[in-house]
Amino acid sequence: MRKLFLITVVLILTCTGFAQSRKNEVGIQADNDSFLGQGSDRYYTNGIFIYYRHALKVSEGGTKLKNKVLGFEAGQKIFNPQSGSIPSVDYLDRPFAGYLYIGSTLNFLYSNESNLKFGAQIGVVGPGAGGKEIQEDIHKWFGFYPPTGWEHQVHDGAELNLSAEYNKLLTRGNGIDLTFNSYGNLGNGFTGAGAGLMLRAGNFNQLFNSVSTQSTASNIDSKSALHQHEFFAYYKPALNYVAYDATIQGSLFNAHNNPQEVTLDREPFIFSNQIGGAYTANHWVFDVSVIFHSKDVKQMVQLHQWGSVTVLYRF
């Protein structure tokens, strides 16, 4: 009995230690315009992403760097025109395209509640991304109409894309805070930059250990957080400059001499709004939001919007 008691105590202490630090997290994110219940199937119509993040050790003697998170991810995005089934090429107001990639990120989070996040992705835009096949399968599973028009999709191109992100807390008080957000992309698939703000209201933690900066994987004892469980709403408006987008313009270095391939020119400036809510409970992290975008392409007959759901498990 004594040995059993000691083993039980050790296990409880071990599990408690893991619960406090939660150095790892794994999860999934799903994006889809059908989440909004409007019956739409246009533009950025589906995205699926898998994440794994691990909090790296931070020097105890350091006073500036508070958290450091290494991440790995894989994902796919699918784009189609105003409908996934077009009667003719005249209705193609945004190209059919798929983007499939794997990538890694390194997130440096500082005690002054700023962070620098660097990322790299390798992938493919075009038939090799499997957008056509996945959309056909999804429509078949749920009894939707059969997609048509994918013979006009953007053709294959290998992609290498780099990214950097910077966020900084501006002010906080009475359950509300305001953060400056910015990012830059550079690559033969996606090049551009953007800046905006994030307004949070509710029970949120510091930006070095929060859903808002993808830093819920942490070596920080949860007892030092502002709240044991985050539960807040947020609003993120942003202005984005698009220098190049391979899902619209096709591969940067490939010749576009196939008569069936349809590419268009991008709109250089896009305004976006994201409204959502986040909740963390022990091992679980939830983030649900709605994103509204202005037109990616001048020919688009409507604006577009979609829903996003993220679920992570920390351990």
Side-chain angles (χ1 to χ4, degrees):
M1 289 295 295
R2 183 178 179 183
K3 288 183 178 180
L4 180 61
F5 174 78
L6 290 175
I7 291 172
T8 303
V9 170
V10 170
L11 288 173
I12 291 173
L13 290 175
T14 303
C15 293
T16 303
F18 288 153
Q20 288 177 346
S21 59
R22 299 189 180 99
K23 300 176 184 178
N24 305 279
E25 65 182 15
V26 61
I28 189 169
Q29 175 184 332
D31 297 345
N32 201 289
D33 50 353
S34 67
F35 291 166
L36 304 184
Q38 298 178 330
S40 64
D41 189 16
R42 58 177 180 265
Y43 311 136
Y44 176 43
T45 186
N46 188 71
I48 189 75
F49 312 91
I50 298 172
Y51 300 109
Y52 169 72
R53 301 186 183 111
H54 172 70
L56 301 175
K57 186 176 181 180
V58 176
S59 174
E60 295 181 2
T63 56
K64 293 184 178 180
L65 187 62
K66 193 73 174 179
N67 192 9
K68 183 166 58 174
V69 181
L70 175 65
F72 298 95
E73 62 188 80
Q76 182 196 53
K77 294 182 177 182
I78 300 176
F79 302 85
N80 56 238
Q82 57 191 284
S83 171
S85 180
I86 57 172
S88 74
V89 72
D90 296 331
Y91 290 82
L92 211 157
D93 58 339
R94 192 198 196 281
F96 285 94
Y99 175 52
L100 182 70
Y101 76 92
I102 58 173
S104 181
T105 59
L106 186 57
N107 198 356
F108 297 90
L109 302 114
Y110 300 94
S111 57
N112 66 352
E113 297 198 54
S114 66
N115 81 293
L116 279 169
K117 183 179 180 181
F118 301 98
Q121 296 179 357
I122 56 173
V124 60
V125 167
K132 173 180 180 291
E133 292 76 13
I134 293 298
Q135 188 176 63
E136 287 177 343
D137 287 342
I138 291 174
H139 281 223
K140 183 179 179 179
W141 295 337
F142 290 97
F144 299 156
Y145 62 86
T148 60
W150 274 94
E151 65 272 17
H152 301 297
Q153 72 173 300
V154 170
H155 280 203
D156 273 333
E159 310 294 342
L160 172 61
N161 300 293
L162 306 176
S163 64
E165 178 183 318
Y166 173 74
N167 305 291
K168 178 70 172 72
L169 178 69
L170 299 178
T171 185
R172 173 178 296 145
N174 299 319
I176 297 174
D177 70 4
L178 185 66
T179 300
F180 170 75
N181 303 139
S182 64
Y183 73 90
N185 297 323
L186 179 64
N188 63 318
F190 307 98
T191 296
L197 298 170
M198 176 176 62
L199 178 68
R200 301 191 296 178
N203 295 335
F204 45 76
N205 282 331
Q206 302 98 321
L207 293 180
F208 48 73
N209 186 21
S210 175
V211 181
S212 301
T213 50
Q214 301 83 52
S215 58
T216 45
S218 172
N219 282 304
I220 302 170
D221 190 325
S222 62
K223 294 179 181 178
S224 66
L226 291 178
H227 300 279
Q228 293 298 302
H229 304 291
E230 288 190 296
F231 185 41
F232 63 90
Y234 63 88
Y235 169 54
K236 296 175 66 175
L239 179 63
N240 309 277
Y241 171 69
V242 180
Y244 198 86
D245 186 333
T247 67
I248 297 172
Q249 299 166 273
S251 181
L252 181 61
F253 299 122
N254 287 6
H256 304 284
N257 50 16
N258 188 305
Q260 285 193 308
E261 179 186 19
V262 176
T263 60
L264 297 171
D265 196 14
R266 89 283 183 243
E267 282 286 278
F269 292 99
I270 298 172
F271 187 69
S272 64
N273 287 282
Q274 183 175 5
I275 303 170
Y279 176 62
T280 65
N282 298 321
H283 294 280
W284 293 97
V285 178
F286 303 93
D287 190 343
V288 179
S289 65
V290 178
I291 299 93
F292 302 90
H293 257 228
S294 60
K295 295 180 179 180
D296 294 338
V297 178
K298 184 177 181 181
Q299 290 90 335
M300 286 168 59
V301 297
Q302 300 185 61
L303 306 179
H304 61 131
Q305 57 277 323
W306 63 91
S308 181
V309 178
T310 302
V311 180
L312 302 167
Y313 180 78
R314 299 181 292 172
F315 56 97

